[in-house]
Amino acid sequence: MEYHTDTLVHGVSIVTACHEERKAGLAVAWATQVASDRVLFCVGSQSYTRELILASGWFGMSLLRADQRDLATLFGRKSSLKVDKFTGLTVFNGEHGMPLLDDCAGGLECEVVDVFTTGKDGSDRLIIGRITAFHNYQPNAERLVYRAADY
């Protein structure tokens, strides 16, 4: 049986982090809620955002609307080490200093509660965060969904 990358469809989010005045963000297409107050996503070793999440113990998650594919592309194609992805965007800092995009379907602030090593070479990390705050939630907003064919 052949696997198709569009079999499971999920909302696209921007995961952000800040530590010692450094900030970063990346697009994730496979974040999921695993309990009433927990979210989970996986990030590879090459991610600068992962470095800041693990150093600070916190992350933000901006939930993208269907009309925000340009943000998914911006945060998904280049490293935060090479470009300031936040330039020109309206961003606010949450209660724990995590940068959140102002104009989205909603924003979450999360405290890291578990990190698991995964992947063939052990370089990926599953990160579980406890949601501590919601911001600017738009319950009726249509979410941007990831389909490989769209990118």
Side-chain angles (χ1 to χ4, degrees):
M1 178 184 217
E2 184 178 336
Y3 170 75
H4 296 276
T5 58
D6 289 344
T7 302
L8 301 173
V9 178
H10 298 276
V12 180
S13 300
I14 303 299
V15 172
T16 57
C18 183
H19 183 66
E20 296 178 349
E21 312 264 335
R22 299 175 294 155
K23 62 184 175 181
L26 72 142
V28 297
W30 294 289
T32 190
Q33 188 171 355
V34 293
S36 62
D37 66 343
R38 304 275 195 278
V39 293
L40 171 138
F41 63 97
C42 185
V43 63
S45 63
Q46 77 286 358
S47 174
Y48 180 59
T49 305
R50 179 179 102 173
E51 179 183 323
L52 298 185
I53 291 169
L54 297 179
S56 70
W58 290 88
F59 63 90
M61 185 175 284
S62 297
L63 313 174
L64 296 185
R65 292 189 321 264
D67 63 338
Q68 295 180 306
R69 185 179 301 169
D70 57 330
L71 288 174
T73 301
L74 170 66
F75 279 85
R77 299 268 170 120
K78 295 184 179 180
S79 170
S80 292
L81 275 173
K82 297 180 180 177
V83 64
D84 181 354
K85 298 176 187 181
F86 300 94
T87 298
L89 299 178
T90 304
V91 178
F92 68 96
N93 290 331
E95 297 168 16
H96 297 282
M98 296 303 106
L100 293 163
L101 304 178
D102 191 41
D103 185 30
C104 291
L108 312 172
E109 283 187 87
C110 301
E111 179 181 18
V112 175
V113 293
D114 284 302
V115 178
F116 299 96
T117 300
T118 188
K120 286 183 180 180
D121 62 358
S123 65
D124 295 337
R125 299 293 180 270
L126 288 173
I127 297 174
I128 298 176
R130 181 179 59 84
I131 301 167
T132 62
F134 284 96
H135 300 280
N136 302 335
Y137 185 55
Q138 300 172 19
N140 297 319
E142 183 181 349
R143 291 288 311 279
L144 177 64
V145 295
Y146 176 82
R147 291 179 189 87
D150 293 341
Y151 290 87

